[in-house]
Amino acid sequence: MPTSRPMPWQRAPWGWALGLIALSWLLIFATLVRPPAQQPVDRSHREVPGQRAEVDAAVLRLVPQVNLVRRPIEKPFTPTLAHWEDKSAQASFAQARSQLLAGQFKPRAVPHAAGARSTAFWYVVPVKRTDVEQGRWLAVVGMPYLDDVQVWLERGDGRIEHLQLGDHFLGDGRQIHARHHTVGMNLLPDEEVLIWVRSRTDGTMRFTFSLDSPAHYFNTEVNTSAMLGMFIGVLALGCLTYALTSIWLRDGMLGFYSLFLATLVLLYMGQTGLLIQLVQAPPWWLNDLFAGFGTTGPWYAAGVLWVNCLDMDNHQPRLARMYRVLALLFAMALPLALTPHYNKVVNISFLMGVVSSPLILYCAWVAWRRMHDRLRMVYLIAFLSYQVGGIVLAASLLGLLPSNELTSQIYPAATLFHTLVMAVAMGMRISRERSDKTLAQERAAAHQRFVAMLTHEFRNPLASIDRSANLLQALQSPTGEQLHSRIANVRQQVRRLGTLVDGFLTVGHDDQSPITPNPTEVTLREWLNSLIQAMGPDMGARVQLEMPQGDLRAHLDPKLMRLALNNLLDNALRYSPDDGVVRLVAQAHESGGVRIAVIDQGPGLSEDEMARLGAQYHLGDELSQGQRSTGSQGTGLGYFFCRQIVEAHGGQVTPSALRPQGLCVTISIP
């Protein structure tokens, strides 16, 4: 069956995703984004005929009058307001007064959160100046991202002052350049005023209202703006740092985290009003762009980030695809923040965030339980804090939780904590990446050394075989003794090559592939005799088995341990004189188990050389035995293979030098 060719979006998924996002943005900007309709604002002082006494009485039946007076501990007044929801968003000021008289207004404490609706909300509160000296007061309306805020000051003599505010009208009727929509009032002593506010927005409705003295308000704003600037500055610096680090290390996860921080910068610049405070007369769409992108962006930038952090592609591939598709869809819909349809996007995104949060936490928990890794635990803590803050924010904005000072501060606090914890996690990840990179480089260098050593180890027996073949070819009629000697040498070198290949295939050169022995109980004398016989008559005759009488048994893997002893015996025979005997001594261990010692008659090793013996990539031609045995230079691979096998059995290999010469290598098996 022919192999199916990958589709274009499978070959370059990010290119297709960016193309779809760009196309959707062009369509939205071309068809849906329109500037708000400019309504004429009558700033002249005009009178509303009649009904003032009835209006005052209706308001006072709902909420108490606010007496503006300086207090020992100066703080703003946050009164209870009379409230009415205009679902058509078309009611005029006169119609709102009629609804008040008809009993449609209800008491409402602020802040007031009503979710994402396309309706208008009316508020009214009675105010009276009772302070003798303080005549200038401010009515402060929030949140700063509200699109359309209109304020009417209805004075006792029937005069009306109308002001148009909101982030769509920042260049028109803006009395005070501040983060909030602020109205200044000059009140006469004992003057009573009704403050009417109409608020409408295409995003999430969260209405705040306070009355404050100018001195206290601006002093507070200086401190608040400084703290917000520091907080947003830290986020922006982190965003830039991680973006540059992502480019430097070519790490996509760091890039997604910098994108997540960028959405938080947009969120706090737009929602806190810092943007409209910094820009003198911003266009109508600028704050919507920041607040809108920042509201829905973090959910989905974080979703893609978590897919990578938790390696969901390998462990939860369906969830990973779901999060990526959601991120793509909402990225395509981000420009809807500049249209009246944005409230639908907000509602869907918040509901999806509330639903998907438990899934993310479950994946983080599973990842930590599966790997028990400190980095995964840090991820879990970061995700838990952000998800809790996000759920509280979404629930309060949708009206599922009361909107108060506590619920409004949970999300910023959770965001700050999440950012700090993720900074620790990213630092741990960068450190781990650098460590892994260094380890990979060391492994690559070690692999090259290993190949060089293996080549060197193969070269000696191959050269010996070649010499024997050349001598046989040079002799016209070799005698039986000459023929037997050369054939025995060839067989010996072939056996050395076979032992080396078996060791390489069994142990290898990668510490990540551990040896797993399959131990069985063997009769030691019978097993050792079979091992010596398998060496052949010439080499086997030079091995002398020494062990006590009796039935000595051992618990080991016969195949692996045969390979270990073959390596030791091969080395011992190679470094001993041609007529020398190698002793193979087996005995029971005092604490249980057995000891098997291989004792040769070679030149031996110094203490410093024995300390380096068996290092995986230590060249054996630096050892005394390699230097003193002509044609027998080695790399120490045989000893290394033996040690790996014995340690896999839970035992140990101990070399000891003999005097005046010789080397004893003891294998202890529990």
Side-chain angles (χ1 to χ4, degrees):
M1 181 179 295
T3 304
S4 60
R5 297 177 59 186
M7 301 302 290
W9 55 81
Q10 293 174 322
R11 292 196 298 266
W14 288 110
W16 280 87
L18 293 176
L20 288 174
I21 292 172
L23 180 61
S24 66
W25 285 25
L26 287 174
L27 291 175
I28 292 173
F29 277 109
T31 59
L32 298 177
V33 177
R34 295 289 184 272
Q38 292 285 347
Q39 299 180 357
V41 178
D42 183 8
R43 294 189 177 86
S44 62
H45 293 183
R46 58 190 178 87
E47 296 184 0
V48 177
Q51 296 183 332
R52 175 57 192 266
E54 291 86 346
V55 170
D56 286 344
V59 173
L60 290 174
R61 282 196 298 267
L62 296 173
V63 295
Q65 187 179 62
V66 181
N67 295 315
L68 298 179
V69 61
R70 288 181 297 177
R71 293 175 284 187
I73 301 177
E74 197 169 8
K75 60 180 181 179
F77 294 90
T78 54
T80 301
L81 310 178
H83 159 262
W84 170 60
E85 180 179 358
D86 175 18
K87 295 184 179 180
S88 67
Q90 300 296 323
S92 64
F93 175 67
Q95 291 172 330
R97 294 175 92 246
S98 300
Q99 293 294 326
L100 173 66
L101 295 175
Q104 297 300 314
F105 277 66
K106 305 296 179 184
R108 170 67 66 178
V110 290
H112 171 217
R117 307 185 194 179
S118 57
T119 58
F121 295 86
W122 287 82
Y123 305 88
V124 61
V125 60
V127 174
K128 179 180 180 180
R129 173 189 169 184
T130 57
D131 191 281
V132 177
E133 299 179 0
Q134 182 72 41
R136 178 74 172 173
W137 293 87
L138 302 178
V140 183
V141 180
M143 296 290 287
Y145 59 82
L146 297 178
D147 295 336
D148 182 4
V149 176
Q150 298 184 52
V151 179
W152 289 264
L153 301 180
E154 185 175 359
R155 298 184 180 271
D157 57 4
R159 291 181 302 132
I160 300 292
E161 299 176 28
H162 179 205
L163 296 102
Q164 173 70 70
L165 304 172
D167 70 358
H168 282 183
F169 306 95
L170 292 174
D172 186 16
R174 191 179 185 187
Q175 279 190 345
I176 299 173
H177 190 83
R179 292 189 306 115
H180 302 90
H181 309 296
T182 308
V183 176
M185 302 179 296
N186 291 316
L187 303 178
L188 299 174
D190 296 324
E191 182 179 3
E192 297 180 355
V193 176
L194 286 180
I195 302 177
W196 295 78
V197 181
R198 177 188 181 272
S199 175
R200 195 199 65 80
T201 188
D202 293 324
T204 54
M205 170 57 70
R206 188 171 188 273
F207 180 84
T208 63
F209 181 85
S210 64
L211 297 163
D212 204 352
S213 66
H216 179 262
Y217 174 74
F218 287 113
N219 287 336
T220 304
E221 280 298 292
V222 168
N223 297 329
T224 304
S225 298
M227 293 180 63
L228 285 173
M230 291 177 59
F231 177 57
I232 296 174
V234 169
L235 292 178
L237 181 61
C239 173
L240 179 62
T241 301
Y242 285 115
L244 295 177
T245 306
S246 171
I247 296 173
W248 177 43
L249 298 179
R250 297 183 179 180
D251 190 327
M253 189 183 300
L254 295 178
F256 284 120
Y257 187 57
S258 68
L259 177 62
F260 170 71
L261 293 180
T263 60
L264 292 181
V265 171
L266 296 179
L267 172 69
Y268 287 106
M269 286 289 290
Q271 286 200 350
T272 63
L274 199 61
L275 177 66
I276 63 178
Q277 187 179 23
L278 294 175
V279 182
Q280 180 65 34
W284 67 269
W285 50 265
L286 184 61
N287 202 61
D288 279 357
L289 183 72
F290 275 63
F293 280 34
T295 299
T296 56
W299 292 94
Y300 303 101
V304 177
L305 170 68
W306 296 334
V307 166
N308 288 272
C309 286
L310 301 177
D311 196 18
M312 292 173 64
D313 286 318
N314 293 324
H315 302 291
Q316 292 93 14
R318 293 183 179 178
L319 283 178
R321 286 193 292 270
M322 181 192 76
Y323 275 108
R324 286 200 171 95
V325 170
L326 286 176
L328 175 62
L329 292 177
F330 279 91
M332 293 169 61
L334 281 177
L336 290 175
L338 308 180
T339 72
H341 306 284
Y342 181 58
N343 55 354
K344 301 180 181 65
V345 177
V346 171
N347 284 326
I348 294 174
S349 66
F350 280 175
L351 289 175
M352 289 300 299
V354 171
V355 171
S356 64
S357 294
L359 295 177
I360 285 290
L361 290 177
Y362 169 75
C363 294
W365 171 259
V366 169
W368 177 70
R369 288 293 302 272
R370 181 177 60 248
M371 304 184 68
H372 287 285
D373 181 29
R374 284 187 299 176
L375 180 58
R376 307 287 175 174
M377 182 182 68
V378 176
Y379 283 151
L380 177 61
I381 295 173
F383 299 159
L384 179 62
S385 64
Y386 185 75
Q387 294 294 345
V388 170
I391 290 174
V392 171
L393 172 67
S396 63
L397 290 177
L398 294 173
L400 303 177
L401 286 177
S403 181
N404 50 40
E405 192 68 22
L406 176 62
T407 55
S408 65
Q409 295 301 321
I410 286 179
Y411 182 70
T415 301
L416 179 60
F417 182 77
H418 169 82
T419 304
L420 295 176
V421 175
M422 283 299 292
V424 174
M426 291 296 112
M428 293 173 61
R429 188 174 183 278
I430 292 173
S431 176
R432 183 172 295 183
E433 290 284 341
R434 294 182 63 182
S435 176
D436 291 345
K437 185 177 180 180
T438 302
L439 182 60
Q441 292 173 346
E442 292 176 352
R443 285 185 177 278
H447 177 73
Q448 293 178 353
R449 293 197 301 271
F450 186 88
V451 171
M453 292 165 56
L454 195 61
T455 303
H456 176 79
E457 192 73 31
F458 269 83
R459 186 179 293 117
N460 284 334
L462 289 175
S464 180
I465 292 173
D466 183 64
R467 285 195 301 271
S468 296
N470 288 335
L471 285 173
L472 288 175
Q473 186 178 13
L475 295 173
Q476 297 296 329
S477 300
T479 63
E481 183 179 352
Q482 291 174 329
L483 187 62
H484 175 77
S485 173
R486 296 306 169 190
I487 292 177
N489 181 62
V490 170
R491 292 183 62 187
Q492 179 182 356
Q493 300 305 325
V494 169
R495 182 181 180 279
R496 283 182 58 193
L497 288 174
T499 301
L500 187 64
V501 170
D502 288 343
F504 177 74
L505 294 177
T506 302
V507 178
H509 63 284
D510 189 357
D511 293 338
Q512 302 300 318
S513 303
I515 303 170
T516 306
N518 184 22
T520 59
E521 190 177 72
V522 298
T523 303
L524 204 56
R525 182 182 297 275
E526 179 182 342
W527 179 70
L528 290 175
N529 279 325
S530 66
L531 184 148
I532 295 172
Q533 292 174 4
M535 297 175 66
D538 295 328
M539 298 184 66
R542 296 175 55 195
V543 178
Q544 178 181 326
L545 177 61
E546 301 176 11
M547 59 182 303
Q549 296 295 327
D551 191 14
L552 185 59
R553 295 180 176 274
H555 200 64
L556 50 83
D557 187 318
K559 181 179 178 181
L560 288 177
M561 199 57 67
R562 179 187 294 270
L563 175 61
L565 282 175
N566 276 338
N567 277 286
L568 292 182
L569 290 171
D570 181 74
N571 284 338
L573 291 169
R574 180 151 46 114
Y575 292 124
S576 296
D578 292 341
D579 57 350
V581 175
V582 173
R583 298 168 58 202
L584 182 61
V585 181
Q587 59 185 358
H589 197 280
E590 296 84 356
S591 59
V594 296
R595 282 182 176 177
I596 303 174
V598 177
I599 305 171
D600 64 33
Q601 298 179 12
L605 298 173
S606 67
E607 292 184 2
D608 181 60
E609 290 167 337
M610 281 196 298
R612 293 180 286 131
L613 180 63
Q616 184 175 0
Y617 302 115
H618 177 69
L619 286 175
D621 57 6
E622 297 177 359
L623 302 178
S624 298
Q625 294 200 140
Q627 293 170 344
R628 299 175 189 174
S629 302
T630 304
S632 298
Q633 291 185 350
T635 59
L637 284 178
Y639 185 90
F640 169 73
F641 292 156
C642 175
R643 192 187 66 185
Q644 293 290 95
I645 292 172
V646 173
E647 289 179 354
H649 282 77
Q652 60 181 3
V653 181
T654 307
S656 58
L658 304 178
R659 294 293 178 264
Q661 65 179 21
L663 181 69
C664 175
V665 180
T666 304
I667 296 175
S668 300
I669 304 174

